[in-house]
Amino acid sequence: MREIIGITLENEMDLVLAHKRSMQIGEQLGLTVATRTTLATAVSEVARTVIDFTNEGRLSIHISGKFPRCAINAGITFESDQVFRETDEGFFYAKKLMPDFNFDANGQIYSITMSLSLPRSSKVDETKISLLQEYFKSAAPLNSYEEIKNKNSKLSQLTQAQEQEIKLGRELDEKKNEFISVASHELKTPITVIKAYTQMLKLLKGQYSDKVGEVVEKLEIQIGKLARLTFQLMDVSKIENGSLQYDLAEIKLNSFLKETVLMLMNVHANNKIILELGEECSVMADPLRLEQVLSNLIGNAAKYSDRNSDIGVTAFLSKEGNSVTIQISDAGMGMSKNSIARIFEKFYRVEDVVSSHPGLGMGLYITSKIVSDHGGKIWVESEIGTGSKFYFTLPLAMPVDL
């Protein structure tokens, strides 16, 4: 069956549309005035009965069969808690007009179909049906009510399409997060085993050549990278599931920065890390997560800077004395305004560095989430070719008088 028109039956104004459109279809098919009137009147009788009890009916006029045996069908479906019978007044008169009348009830859902055989002279074939569909699709509204109704219908369809896209997007995100969670947990065990065997090999250093020793050292470095990647994946999964946990403690910030930067100096020996401390203060934070933030930011500075260039780590209190700001600066390649706007997005990577610098774009996303969960803010200032300055704030455990 190929639908020619569809009209929702919501109020009395739809009776006018149903009648006029039924007459128009009959005219386009070349039916006699009497036959058109019979069709339109039968449709109106059923539609009136439906509209009296519900505003959720729908009329569909369609063509069935193949030339030369084709029929025009008027189908009305609706849902109502009112009990309807085929003998009800509106349905009874419609059946008198169009004997090929079918009434079906399935619980509170009703379906009525009326059929009328088309004469051979109508010459209804696939081409004519397509032309009919196009004609009514592009037909001007019969009145201002139909114009508004059509606009509302298009808006409703657009909204439904958008809601469907959002739903699909959420489903994809859920599947992706589930995959990340499962994959990261499955990777954790074999990585731990490989790391343990690598440590055992290092203990047997005197039993193999220096060349093999170099291979073991490289193996250990790569296992470390794989382990960090796996832990990042696990963190992303925890963030998405709302299960990222924190073990908060009061931390003397200057002492913490000294110890962390000293450790990172050994990790990033190709760059000079310069630490500038402000007034001593304390923050409430998870030490491991705060170390992760500093490690990510200083690691990024080293990654995108030249060898032997300086990386600055500076801490200073806010003017109000209720938070501390930590700045990590570098003289690296810098970023564009577009990259700055998106740099903390999950899996985002600057296009210019995708091929030259490995990574999945998780570090800064995790970093921003940790800072946010601690009640702080994070942002970046950068220009291409002049380097970047990352800032993040943390609330003080106790305000400081300045």
Side-chain angles (χ1 to χ4, degrees), residues 189-204:
T189 300
I191 288 173
T192 303
V193 173
I194 295 170
K195 191 172 182 180
Y197 278 121
T198 306
Q199 294 295 325
M200 290 171 64
L201 281 172
K202 291 187 73 175
L203 293 174
L204 300 173

Side-chain angles (χ1 to χ4, degrees), residues 34 63 114 156 163 193 271 302 306 402:
I63 305 292
M114 300 172 285
S156 177
E163 288 176 351
V193 173
N271 296 89
D306 293 334
L402 298 177

Side-chain angles (χ1 to χ4, degrees), residues 45-224:
E45 287 293 334
V46 175
R48 187 187 306 278
T49 303
V50 171
I51 289 172
D52 283 344
F53 293 96
T54 180
N55 61 354
E56 295 182 357
R58 185 179 189 276
L59 164 66
S60 172
I61 297 183
H62 46 274
I63 305 292
S64 63
K66 291 184 179 181
F67 182 79
R69 295 184 177 179
C70 291
I72 182 169
N73 307 277
I76 295 178
T77 56
F78 62 99
E79 183 176 354
S80 176
D81 53 8
Q82 172 77 21
V83 177
F84 289 92
R85 295 177 179 83
E86 191 173 347
T87 53
D88 288 345
E89 186 177 5
F91 305 150
F92 176 78
Y93 286 126
K95 189 174 181 180
K96 284 280 188 181
L97 291 166
M98 296 183 68
D100 193 352
F101 183 100
N102 182 62
F103 178 93
D104 182 67
N106 184 9
Q108 295 183 344
I109 299 174
Y110 296 87
S111 176
I112 296 167
T113 305
M114 300 172 285
S115 298
L116 187 69
S117 295
L118 294 172
R120 292 193 180 194
S121 58
S122 299
K123 296 180 180 179
V124 177
D125 55 16
E126 292 296 330
T127 301
K128 190 165 186 178
I129 292 172
S130 297
L131 289 172
L132 271 174
Q133 290 173 323
E134 287 300 319
Y135 175 83
F136 285 101
K137 186 177 181 181
S138 58
L142 292 172
N143 49 38
S144 57
Y145 170 76
E146 188 177 28
E147 184 177 4
I148 294 171
K149 186 181 180 76
N150 290 342
K151 288 181 179 179
N152 288 339
S153 177
K154 289 178 181 178
L155 286 172
S156 177
Q157 290 173 5
L158 181 61
T159 300
Q160 289 176 3
Q162 290 175 336
E163 288 176 351
Q164 185 65 21
E165 287 182 7
I166 292 171
K167 182 181 177 182
L168 288 173
R170 286 174 178 167
E171 288 176 354
L172 287 173
D173 273 343
E174 288 174 3
K175 290 179 181 178
K176 181 174 63 179
N177 292 333
E178 183 180 357
F179 169 77
I180 289 173
S181 177
V182 172
S184 57
H185 280 89
E186 290 296 323
L187 284 169
K188 186 178 177 182
T189 300
I191 288 173
T192 303
V193 173
I194 295 170
K195 191 172 182 180
Y197 278 121
T198 306
Q199 294 295 325
M200 290 171 64
L201 281 172
K202 291 187 73 175
L203 293 174
L204 300 173
K205 188 174 181 180
Q207 300 182 33
Y208 51 75
S209 65
D210 291 341
K211 193 168 184 178
V212 173
E214 291 175 7
V215 173
V216 173
E217 291 292 337
K218 291 178 180 179
L219 179 62
E220 185 177 35
I221 292 171
Q222 296 305 316
I223 291 171

Side-chain angles (χ1 to χ4, degrees), residues 333-348:
M333 61 200 315
M335 291 180 286
S336 66
K337 289 183 179 179
N338 180 61
S339 296
I340 291 173
R342 300 188 59 193
I343 196 64
F344 297 110
E345 291 180 11
K346 182 173 54 176
F347 302 126
Y348 175 75

